Amino acid sequence: MLYMKSPNNNAQLLENADEFLRSRFVYADESIETLQHPEYMLNGLEMSGRLVGDCDDISTLHAALLTCMGIKARFVAIRSTFNDPNYDHVYIEANDGKAWIPYDITLPLGAQIEWFARLTIAV
């Protein structure tokens, strides 16, 4: 349904996907790191009306949705603490045909993303 609203307008498709995910996503911190499959998250949406997970879960679903709509996406892993060698957050960037645009469903729309180290991973 996201695609049918604007099949030939990447900018509108990106906006539709962002709005859809933001309006249904509930952040849930994990004590043990796991990665939820997009189908698992969508089943949860069907049952509860919500997409529940953490940053890697929603980023994986977001990238899958965009890829299905023909939009290039990539993961961005960042280190937000200077002395910690671990990458502690992930979000996606989508290519609208002109540039890579960051999308982090866990942050308010338009929030500035700051990092000490960054790693991009192709989808």
Side-chain angles (χ1 to χ4, degrees), residues 10 14 66-67 70-74 93-96 100 123:
N10 280 359
L14 289 169
L66 296 181
T67 300
I71 296 174
K72 292 180 184 176
R74 65 185 180 192
E93 290 181 337
N95 193 299
D96 67 354
W100 288 99
V123 173

Side-chain angles (χ1 to χ4, degrees), residues 33 55 76-81 84-90 115-121:
E33 184 57 47
C55 62
V76 179
I78 61 171
R79 273 190 325 121
S80 61
T81 306
D84 186 348
N86 297 312
Y87 289 84
D88 58 355
H89 187 61
V90 65
W115 41 267
F116 291 101
R118 171 187 152 104
L119 176 67
T120 58
I121 305 158

Side-chain angles (χ1 to χ4, degrees), residues 38-79:
E39 186 175 3
Y40 181 83
M41 289 193 74
L42 291 173
N43 286 337
L45 175 63
E46 242 179 69
M47 291 176 13
S48 70
R50 295 281 176 224
L51 298 163
V52 180
D54 67 359
C55 62
D56 54 8
D57 303 321
I58 195 64
S59 294
T60 302
L61 176 59
H62 198 175
L65 287 175
L66 296 181
T67 300
C68 287
M69 293 190 293
I71 296 174
K72 292 180 184 176
R74 65 185 180 192
F75 295 105
V76 179
I78 61 171
R79 273 190 325 121

